[in-house]
Amino acid sequence: MERTLAIIKPDAVEKQFAGPIIQRIEAAGFRIRAMRRVHLSKAEAEGFYAVHRERPFFASLTAFMSSGPAVVMVLEADGAIRKWRDLMGATDPSKAPAGSIRADFGSNIERNATHGSDAPETAAFETGYFFAGVDLV
Ligand code: ATP
Ligand code: MG
């Protein structure tokens, strides 16, 4: 079993899409091993996205991610990292397949409703950023 970090981003939480997104996660067969609402500070968002600090969208992205509450979760399934990214669809909602989470709930390439880890190493870092081992139940 593999674990990945999922975030329901502030745009989707504000629009009250957390419920429908969690429903899709459970319907797809993931087990939710941890879940919490968080309102990140700018510094906390910068720490989370440190790998992107040289990207042109870094300031805007971290302002957005600290603009309101988000929901952070650890999802578990066989091949959870790939499986969750497939369920989300492409980063840009306009390029995500019909019926994917980002196509249905995202607004644009930045405000794209959800986040998912992209590799085992990032999943370990990102899970540890929000949850201690004792929190994963
Ligand atoms: P995530 O890491 O959130 O799961 P991703 O792996 O599909 O998404 P990344 O390239 O890691 O995409 O970018 C991280 C986040 O930065 C994106 O989810 C999006 O919110 C934002 N982002 C990515 N590209 C752009 C862009 N060109 N302009 C504005 N924001 C962007
Ligand atoms: Mg990414």
Side-chain angles (χ1 to χ4, degrees), residues 42-62 125 129:
K42 185 76 157 49
E44 287 165 345
E46 288 168 357
F48 181 76
Y49 280 116
V51 293
H52 290 319
R53 64 186 171 275
E54 307 299 338
R55 308 281 282 275
F57 55 80
F58 181 71
S60 175
L61 172 63
T62 53
F125 167 76
Y129 200 78

Side-chain angles (χ1 to χ4, degrees), residues 22-63:
I22 291 167
Q23 215 159 28
R24 290 191 189 196
I25 287 168
E26 292 193 319
F30 291 97
R31 305 306 303 226
I32 299 173
R33 292 302 181 200
M35 177 161 64
R36 190 153 59 85
R37 256 171 84 95
V38 292
H39 188 155
L40 295 176
S41 67
K42 185 76 157 49
E44 287 165 345
E46 288 168 357
F48 181 76
Y49 280 116
V51 293
H52 290 319
R53 64 186 171 275
E54 307 299 338
R55 308 281 282 275
F57 55 80
F58 181 71
S60 175
L61 172 63
T62 53

Side-chain angles (χ1 to χ4, degrees), residues 4 26 42 46 50 56 107 116-117 129-130 136:
T4 190
E26 292 193 319
K42 185 76 157 49
E46 288 168 357
S107 305
S117 309
Y129 200 78
F130 292 109
L136 304 175

